[in-house]
């Protein structure tokens, strides 16, 4: 059995307690993890506070911080195979995806490495002749980063990268499900040579470790990715330290197919949107909204593709859909699919757990037209597609927006005008047109409504880790004028 350590104040340690990690492909324990409790969290935040204010980190130039991030990026790239193997083992995510995603994670660090010395203040054209006024962008402070189980290295990179570029220090809480790759990543942070306390990586259970971290008086900003109900708890916790928050939450993203679309291409994209990563993706295009005149044709294309998907062990490079990360997740999906069928949804394909050991669930398509099915409303975080149809563009828009979420969306059409109209009318942080599930460090990512607020990726994300200091300098030699009049 492998054993992992947490990383606090530049040292690797066993943690106050331990818990077992399960291999989702077998359902068996494969590793032992450190369980951080309140005292560990307190030490980590204090180490981050110390590193923020004293020692080598605040003395570094922004360019030097960028160089450390470049080094980290190179180390991630050099160790991508090992990190991918750990992520696949601990989360069940297929090796085909973890290998390519982790190699790309290195580019996120490179993007923010390059940005470190481009975060600028401004000189203001102030309306007073005897003043020079300028702004400085200073690090916001200690950041608490919390990530869910899927894509932990990726979701941590979009927080660690901009936070360090801005000069912050950070405490990262990995999900207790599948924390191995992030705990291993801590070794690369150490090797890159970041001063101690700048990056601290823990894992532990939400109610204890996550709560202690998000309430901690030393935390200035919380970067959270997870579900909306946990986010509400995190926001309540932030009432104690008044930390700012950025929330990347779930979705029930619409995938809209018009009759004029390239249906073969749209069907491939829909497969990527809902069956890749076994549907455990916040941007999963889990609601297919298809024009009625092509519904049957599109569904038969999709059914054939879904049934041809290779389900197997996540370490086989031929596997396209592996197990879900946890038994809890699979049981939840089973329940919602059963309730949807009871409510009148028609099973087009799938609809049951996979055979054998491991937390597998078959790629599933549910025709929910005219039915009030739970699968249409509930984020399942699994390989389950709910199908609805429309006759007019207005109906398509109404269905697309009929969700409290607003993370991503897809629109498939050959009409340029319609594509633009849909972009304006869909309430979501991302609109993919004739494509799906594309990401880049350069492109902002985040949601509307219950999908959260704040953006990750792009320049704006780095600015979220800064606060503005305004400096007033009086240039006049005369004495300070009338003290009883505001200037
Ligand atoms: P959760 O909200 O259950 O957990 C997310 C993280 O929060 C975990 O690390 C969890 O710890 C922690 N946590 C739990 N309770 C608390 C608490 N009281 N205080 C602080 N932290 C806490 O989400 P899931 O792990 O179930 O992940 C799936 C969700 O994440 C989905 O809704 C999905 O859409 C969303 N997601 C959003 C993305 C985006 O970028 N928009 C990307 C990926 C996923 P623990 O694991 O110990 O419970």
């Amino acid at each position: 059995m492998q054993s992992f350590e947490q990383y606090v104040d530049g040292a690797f340690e066993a943690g106050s307690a331990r818990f077992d990690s399960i291999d989702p492909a077998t359902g068996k324990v494969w590793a032992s993890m450190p369980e951080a409790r309140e005292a560990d969290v307190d030490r980590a935040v204090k180490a981050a506070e110390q590193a923020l204010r004293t020692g080598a980190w605040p003395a570094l130039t922004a360019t030097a911080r960028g160089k450390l991030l470049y080094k980290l990026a190179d180390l991630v790239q050099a160790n991508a195979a090992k990190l991918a193997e750990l992520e696949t083992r601990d989360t069940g995510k297929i090796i085909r995806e973890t290998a390519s995603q982790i190699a790309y994670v290195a580019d996120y660090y490179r993007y923010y490495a390059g940005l470190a010395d481009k975060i600028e203040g401004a000189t203001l054209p102030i309306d007073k002749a005897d003043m020079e006024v300028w702004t400085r962008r200073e690090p916001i402070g200690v950041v608490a980063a919390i990530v869910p189980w899927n894509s932990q290295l990726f979701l941590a990179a979009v927080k660690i990268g901009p936070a360090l570029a801005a000069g912050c220090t950070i405490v990262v809480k990995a999900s207790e499900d599948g924390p191995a790759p992030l705990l291993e990543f801590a070794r690369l942070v150490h090797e890159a040579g970041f001063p101690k306390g700048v990056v601290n990586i823990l894992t532990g259970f939400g109610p204890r470790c996550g709560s202690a971290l998000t309430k901690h008086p030393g935390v200035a900003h919380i970067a959270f990715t997870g579900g909306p109900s946990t986010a509400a708890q995190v926001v309540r916790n932030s009432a104690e330290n008044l930390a700012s928050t950025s929330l990347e939450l779930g979705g029930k993203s619409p995938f809209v197919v018009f009759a004029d679309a390239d249906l073969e291409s749209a069907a491939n994209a829909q497969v990527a949107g809902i069956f890749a990563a076994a549907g455990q993706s916040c941007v999963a295009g889990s609601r297919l909204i298809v024009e009625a005149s092509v519904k049957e044709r599109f569904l038969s294309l999709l059914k054939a593709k879904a049934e041809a998907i290779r389900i197997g062990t996540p370490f086989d490079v031929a596997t396209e859909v592996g197990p879900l990360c946890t038994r809890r997740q699979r049981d939840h999906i089973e329940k919602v699919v059963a309730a949807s069928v009871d409510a009148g949804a028609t099973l087009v394909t799938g609809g049951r757990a996979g055979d054998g050991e491991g937390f597998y669930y078959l790629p599933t398509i549910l025709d929910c037209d005219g039915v009030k099915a739970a699968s249409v409303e509930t984020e399942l975080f699994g390989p389950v597609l709910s199908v609805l149809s429309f006759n007019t563009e207005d109906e398509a828009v109404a269905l697309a927006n009929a969700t409290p979420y607003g993370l991503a969306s897809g629109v498939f059409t050959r009409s340029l005008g319609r594509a633009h109209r849909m972009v304006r009318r869909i309430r979501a942080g991302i609109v993919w047109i004739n494509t799906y599930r594309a990401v880049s460090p350069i492109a902002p990512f985040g949601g509307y409504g219950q999908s959260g607020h704040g953006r990750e990726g792009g320049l704006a994300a780095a600015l979220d880790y800064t606060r503005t200091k305004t400096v007033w300098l009086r240039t006049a030699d005369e004495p300070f004028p009338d003290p009883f009049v505001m200037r």
Side-chain angles (χ1 to χ4, degrees):
M1 185 152 102
Q2 284 199 44
S3 186
F4 290 82
E5 293 179 308
Q6 63 191 27
Y7 184 57
V8 177
D9 202 14
F12 292 92
E13 36 182 71
S16 311
R18 310 281 303 172
F19 68 93
D20 290 338
S21 202
I22 311 284
D23 178 343
T26 63
K28 298 197 171 75
V29 171
W30 80 280
S32 160
M33 302 294 170
E35 185 203 327
R37 297 200 169 161
E38 291 82 348
D40 304 274
V41 171
D42 186 50
R43 281 189 306 107
V45 176
K46 286 188 171 141
E49 278 185 288
Q50 174 91 358
L52 180 77
R53 305 198 204 292
T54 58
W57 183 245
L60 286 182
T61 62
T63 309
R65 287 201 304 269
K67 283 184 181 161
L68 279 174
L69 277 165
Y70 276 122
K71 206 161 164 196
L72 181 60
D74 290 344
L75 285 166
V76 169
Q77 187 161 352
N79 289 276
K82 181 171 190 197
L83 293 171
E85 200 185 311
L86 287 174
E87 186 165 8
T88 294
R89 171 73 66 214
D90 215 12
T91 66
K93 191 162 173 172
I94 59 173
I95 194 78
R96 201 159 146 171
E97 170 131 307
T98 54
S100 77
Q101 194 177 45
I102 292 167
Y104 198 30
V105 161
D107 280 353
Y108 277 76
Y109 284 108
R110 282 195 189 100
Y111 177 81
Y112 285 107
L115 215 54
D117 56 9
K118 289 154 199 82
I119 299 172
E120 298 171 342
T123 305
L124 308 184
I126 207 76
D127 56 346
K128 299 175 201 312
D130 63 343
M131 298 281 190
E132 279 294 333
V133 181
W134 67 95
T135 58
R136 292 166 49 81
R137 289 269 185 183
E138 298 195 342
I140 196 164
V142 173
V143 175
I146 298 196
V147 294
W149 81 78
N150 66 319
S151 310
Q152 298 209 36
L153 285 168
F154 172 71
L155 295 169
V158 293
K159 299 170 178 59
I160 298 171
L164 298 187
C168 297
T169 58
I170 192 163
V171 180
V172 183
K173 179 199 143 352
S175 170
E176 108 246 355
D177 297 315
L182 255 181
L183 296 173
E184 182 65 23
F185 165 82
R187 302 201 171 267
L188 307 182
V189 170
H190 193 75
E191 194 180 334
F194 285 90
K196 67 180 188 149
V198 170
V199 181
N200 306 272
I201 302 184
L202 310 159
T203 186
F205 296 85
R208 258 190 119 152
C209 173
S211 233
L213 179 56
T214 48
K215 279 181 187 163
H216 199 288
V219 166
H221 180 76
I222 303 166
F224 174 81
T225 302
S229 59
T230 317
Q233 183 61 50
V234 164
V235 171
R236 278 192 286 275
N237 289 349
S238 74
E240 299 205 13
N241 52 17
L242 298 182
S244 54
T245 55
S246 67
L247 307 172
E248 296 293 339
L249 312 178
K252 197 70 206 175
S253 299
F255 189 104
V256 185
V257 179
F258 286 93
D260 69 350
D262 176 338
L263 294 186
E264 175 64 29
S265 176
N268 274 341
Q270 177 66 92
V271 167
I274 190 64
F275 299 133
Q280 299 169 109
S281 166
C282 51
V283 293
S286 52
R287 289 185 302 136
L288 167 61
I289 296 167
V290 58
E291 192 158 350
S293 60
V294 292
K295 179 181 166 191
E296 288 317 312
R297 192 144 59 93
F298 193 65
L299 276 193
S300 74
L301 267 176
L302 213 50
K303 180 176 189 293
K305 286 182 191 292
E307 289 173 356
I309 287 172
R310 286 189 293 261
I311 299 166
T313 153
F315 277 106
D316 183 344
V317 285
T319 295
E320 293 167 330
V321 166
L324 297 162
C325 183
T326 60
R327 186 187 306 277
R328 178 179 81 243
Q329 182 68 5
R330 191 194 55 193
D331 294 350
H332 170 61
I333 291 167
E334 270 187 314
K335 262 193 213 129
V336 175
V337 170
S340 302
V341 171
D342 284 349
T346 308
L347 207 50
V348 177
T349 188
R352 65 173 180 84
D355 302 320
E357 56 188 12
F359 311 141
Y360 289 87
Y361 196 83
L362 298 187
T364 296
I365 302 175
L366 281 171
D367 187 344
C368 301
D369 241 350
V371 177
K372 194 164 167 35
S375 67
V376 177
E377 281 150 26
T378 315
E379 184 190 33
L380 285 172
F381 226 57
V384 178
L385 178 68
S386 299
V387 182
L388 303 166
S389 69
F390 65 90
N391 287 300
T392 65
E393 197 174 301
D394 283 349
E395 276 175 36
V397 171
L399 285 172
N401 289 337
T403 169
Y405 290 108
L407 186 55
S409 58
V411 175
F412 287 75
T413 177
R414 285 193 172 99
S415 159
L416 191 57
R418 172 179 286 138
H420 279 282
R421 290 195 297 276
M422 293 299 286
V423 165
R424 285 199 291 260
R425 297 181 73 189
I426 287 183
R427 286 195 302 271
I430 301 168
V431 185
W432 282 301
I433 298 165
N434 295 329
T435 186
Y436 208 83
R437 210 166 172 253
V439 290
S440 161
I442 301 158
F445 181 102
Y448 284 31
Q450 291 288 302
S451 293
H453 57 75
R455 292 291 178 268
E456 292 187 326
L459 171 62
L463 300 184
D464 278 354
Y465 290 89
T466 67
R467 53 175 117 231
T468 300
K469 180 176 279 175
T470 308
V471 188
W472 291 77
L473 184 146
R474 186 162 171 262
T475 54
D477 287 334
E478 297 76 38
F480 188 89
D482 183 354
F484 299 102
V485 176
M486 195 177 190
R487 298 216 54 219

